[in-house]
Amino acid sequence: MPSMAKTNALLSFSLFLVLFHGSLGLTADRSRKQQGQCQLDSLNALKPDNRIRSEAGLTESWDPNHDQFQCAGVAVVRRTIEPNGLLLPSYSNAPQLIYIVQGRGVAGTLMPGCPETFQESQESQGQGSRRLQDQHQKVHRFREGDVIALPAGVAQWCYNDGNERVVAVAVLDVANSANQLDDMSPRNFYLAGNPQEEFQQEQGQSRQRREQRTGREPFRGHDQQQQCSNIFCGMETGLLAEAFNVDEQVARRLQNESDRRGNIVRVKGGLQIVMPPSLRQEEQEQEHRGEHRNGLEETLCTMRIRENIGDASRADVFTPEAGRISTLNSHKLPILRHIQLSAERGVLYNEAMMVPHWNLNAHSIIYGIRGQAHVQVVDHSGRTVFDGEMREGQVLTVPQNFAVVKRSDQQNFEWVSFKTNDNAMISPLAGRTSALRAMPAEVLANAFRISVEDARRIKFERQETTLISRRSTRSGNWAEA
């Protein structure tokens, strides 16, 4: 029996080392870009700073120069796409996670070198003539609650084929080692259209800061008054015509110089493409593949980039009176291991609490989906850096190791957290799996100058792990902070 106990302990410790292996490398990569950025006196639940209207939608961005975003090394953008709206294809200098807050549609992710597996049936045109057959890379369906992962430099387009608006929130990990352009500046490169820069004002400020640091002015191109902003605009029309083997008139259309529709355009009559099967059928196929996956057949071209964490049936933590939490990490969606991000979807019922905890190995960027909650965040010196209400549409950053507690008092609160580690972990301060419960009662008694009996109460009174309800407390009332 003693040898069996030693073996189990060794296996548990080995598993612990495996789980932390990736996070240690991630911390080393990010720390080089973020030294000195997390000396924060206060945090704020922020609304978007910039709004850009397009023909068929709205783009809203948060200023990435806010101290809390500089600390986390991220940029945040929210896009609203109206029915029959097409988000033009673009790619970014940083990996990103996208959460679908509302709506459904189809999206294409353009992986370089991957085959065009969606092909149109051949159709005749007149006597003996055939038109060019369209074929393209796989198209994915998405719906509310989906998380979509995009590596840096991979282009994507998105189309709303539903009857309601699509609302999508994206977090770009600009501090990721995959971003080799700028220290902390997000950049979107559009393949079509003539869109405005989503982080226009903020990047101007960031550029000035870089110039002040380096003492030199960067090269700005030949045309300061350039009115065209997709990547083909700076290329000569003749070169484009030669590259695509088309005439110059067609090549000139690629540059979209007179296009004022923005980055979300309306498709008249709907988008006619080779479509994937129904959403439910596609999910069943993915689940079937997942049951028989051995890890060898998932290549870059076939790798899953989407997972739903909105369905209640997929909750990892569930308390009937308090709420539920769903997590998404690289064990569930392997592509997250490459982009070093993960996500958490939570629902707090009325008069419920998520116990105080800290994030072991990641910053947490919280986006309020619905409702409101009271949130407190405490730094390493015991200072309360945030103590207030968080509401729908706001973003709050909780830096790594800062303690945080959420409580819903008058209505349910729903949120999604984007985390800067592909296997983000939390350490609860209360409950059955808490740090305090793991300590001997004598240690607690001496640390807090309390009796051993009170120390045992602190350890064992709360049996829940993560979520608790007011109805499960001794008095039925919250203790006053």
Side-chain angles (χ1 to χ4, degrees):
M1 290 297 290
S3 60
M4 180 69 70
K6 289 181 180 178
T7 302
N8 290 338
L10 181 60
L11 288 174
S12 299
F13 182 68
S14 300
L15 177 61
F16 180 81
L17 291 179
V18 169
L19 291 175
F20 267 84
H21 176 74
S23 65
L24 291 175
L26 172 60
T27 302
D29 288 340
R30 297 181 65 85
S31 63
R32 287 193 289 269
K33 290 188 176 184
Q34 294 176 271
Q35 290 180 353
Q37 297 288 346
C38 291
Q39 304 300 319
L40 302 172
D41 294 324
S42 64
L43 298 170
N44 294 288
L46 301 171
K47 294 181 179 180
D49 301 284
N50 192 30
R51 295 165 59 92
I52 301 174
R53 291 201 172 275
S54 301
E55 180 186 47
L58 176 67
T59 301
E60 301 167 287
S61 62
W62 282 255
D63 184 351
N65 290 314
H66 279 299
D67 289 342
Q68 62 190 52
F69 295 140
Q70 289 286 304
C71 169
V74 300
V76 185
V77 62
R78 179 174 64 206
R79 298 184 178 94
T80 302
I81 308 173
E82 297 174 2
N84 289 329
L86 171 67
L87 176 64
L88 295 177
S90 67
Y91 57 91
S92 171
N93 62 328
Q96 56 183 304
L97 276 188
I98 304 168
Y99 181 79
I100 306 301
V101 177
Q102 173 185 305
R104 62 174 57 211
V106 293
T109 303
L110 315 177
M111 295 290 188
C114 293
E116 299 161 338
T117 55
F118 279 37
Q119 299 181 355
E120 188 179 33
S121 300
Q122 292 185 356
E123 296 180 6
S124 298
Q125 281 188 340
Q127 295 293 329
S129 64
R130 294 181 181 273
R131 65 180 176 87
L132 290 176
Q133 184 182 4
D134 188 26
Q135 53 188 22
H136 52 77
Q137 289 189 11
K138 183 176 180 179
V139 174
H140 303 270
R141 285 197 172 274
F142 64 83
R143 63 184 175 97
E144 180 177 328
D146 279 353
V147 172
I148 301 172
L150 283 182
V154 172
Q156 186 191 51
W157 56 267
C158 175
Y159 175 66
N160 181 355
D161 66 348
N163 297 319
E164 64 174 339
R165 293 177 176 178
V166 167
V167 178
V169 176
V171 167
L172 291 79
D173 185 15
V174 292
N176 193 289
S177 59
N179 173 23
Q180 300 185 33
L181 281 181
D182 301 285
D183 287 343
M184 304 295 280
S185 298
R187 295 194 195 182
N188 288 322
F189 297 77
Y190 276 89
L191 278 64
N194 188 18
Q196 297 182 49
E197 174 53 55
E198 294 164 5
F199 301 97
Q200 186 174 13
Q201 296 177 351
E202 296 84 343
Q203 284 207 12
Q205 296 168 4
S206 181
R207 184 188 299 122
Q208 290 176 5
R209 293 181 183 179
R210 290 196 302 274
E211 292 173 15
Q212 290 172 359
R213 284 201 309 267
T214 60
R216 61 175 183 262
E217 183 176 345
F219 176 69
R220 301 186 190 279
H222 298 291
D223 186 5
Q224 296 292 329
Q225 303 299 322
Q226 181 174 307
Q227 298 300 313
C228 178
S229 56
N230 73 58
I231 59 175
F232 294 117
C233 296
M235 302 179 187
E236 292 181 5
T237 305
L239 291 178
L240 289 177
E242 184 177 351
F244 287 98
N245 194 25
V246 295
D247 59 53
E248 291 197 10
Q249 183 178 0
V250 173
R252 196 171 292 112
R253 297 304 297 258
L254 294 175
Q255 298 173 324
N256 292 108
E257 292 184 3
S258 60
D259 194 337
R260 297 293 179 266
R261 296 176 298 169
N263 65 333
I264 306 173
V265 302
R266 194 176 309 282
V267 179
K268 297 179 180 179
L271 200 64
Q272 305 299 319
I273 59 174
V274 182
M275 298 289 287
S278 68
L279 184 61
R280 183 58 191 156
Q281 182 179 345
E282 185 181 18
E283 288 178 344
Q284 289 173 345
E285 290 176 358
Q286 286 190 353
E287 291 173 0
H288 178 76
R289 289 196 300 268
E291 291 172 358
H292 301 88
R293 187 165 57 242
N294 59 20
L296 297 177
E297 71 284 340
E298 192 166 72
T299 65
L300 179 66
C301 296
T302 61
M303 185 175 289
R304 292 183 303 121
I305 65 167
R306 177 183 59 82
E307 185 75 23
N308 191 280
I309 58 174
D311 286 347
S313 61
R314 302 190 182 188
D316 297 297
V317 177
F318 175 66
T319 303
E321 294 183 341
R324 65 180 187 271
I325 293 178
S326 302
T327 58
L328 180 63
N329 55 31
S330 57
H331 299 295
K332 297 180 180 178
L333 190 63
I335 193 174
L336 298 181
R337 186 175 300 113
H338 299 279
I339 69 173
Q340 300 175 343
L341 294 170
S342 59
E344 170 191 274
R345 172 74 161 84
V347 178
L348 273 182
Y349 298 156
N350 187 21
E351 299 184 343
M353 174 190 293
M354 183 174 182
V355 298
H357 64 277
W358 74 85
N359 293 282
L360 271 73
N361 54 359
H363 302 299
S364 179
I365 299 88
I366 306 172
Y367 176 81
I369 297 176
R370 296 178 188 90
Q372 67 180 54
H374 186 80
V375 181
Q376 288 186 336
V377 182
V378 180
D379 70 4
H380 69 286
S381 61
R383 291 182 305 164
T384 305
V385 292
F386 182 80
D387 184 5
E389 298 297 316
M390 185 171 182
R391 296 179 172 84
E392 177 180 341
Q394 293 181 328
V395 173
L396 174 66
T397 299
V398 179
Q400 178 187 6
N401 298 151
F402 281 40
V404 58
V405 58
K406 306 182 188 78
R407 185 182 75 189
S408 59
D409 288 331
Q410 299 178 353
Q411 56 183 293
N412 292 359
F413 178 61
E414 301 183 33
W415 77 92
V416 59
S417 294
F418 303 86
K419 303 197 176 187
T420 58
N421 191 303
D422 66 285
N423 187 36
M425 303 173 68
I426 69 169
S427 182
L429 284 162
R432 195 171 70 243
T433 59
S434 69
L436 297 189
R437 180 149 177 172
M439 299 181 195
E442 289 281 350
V443 173
L444 294 179
N446 284 275
F448 297 115
R449 293 196 294 184
I450 58 177
S451 68
V452 174
E453 188 61 31
D454 284 341
R456 291 194 179 108
R457 289 194 184 98
I458 290 174
K459 288 186 61 171
F460 300 115
E461 280 290 339
R462 181 62 68 189
Q463 295 302 313
E464 297 89 345
T465 58
T466 308
L467 303 175
I468 59 178
S469 170
R470 174 180 293 186
R471 287 178 278 268
S472 65
T473 62
R474 263 180 186 273
S475 62
N477 296 307
W478 298 117
E480 293 297 327

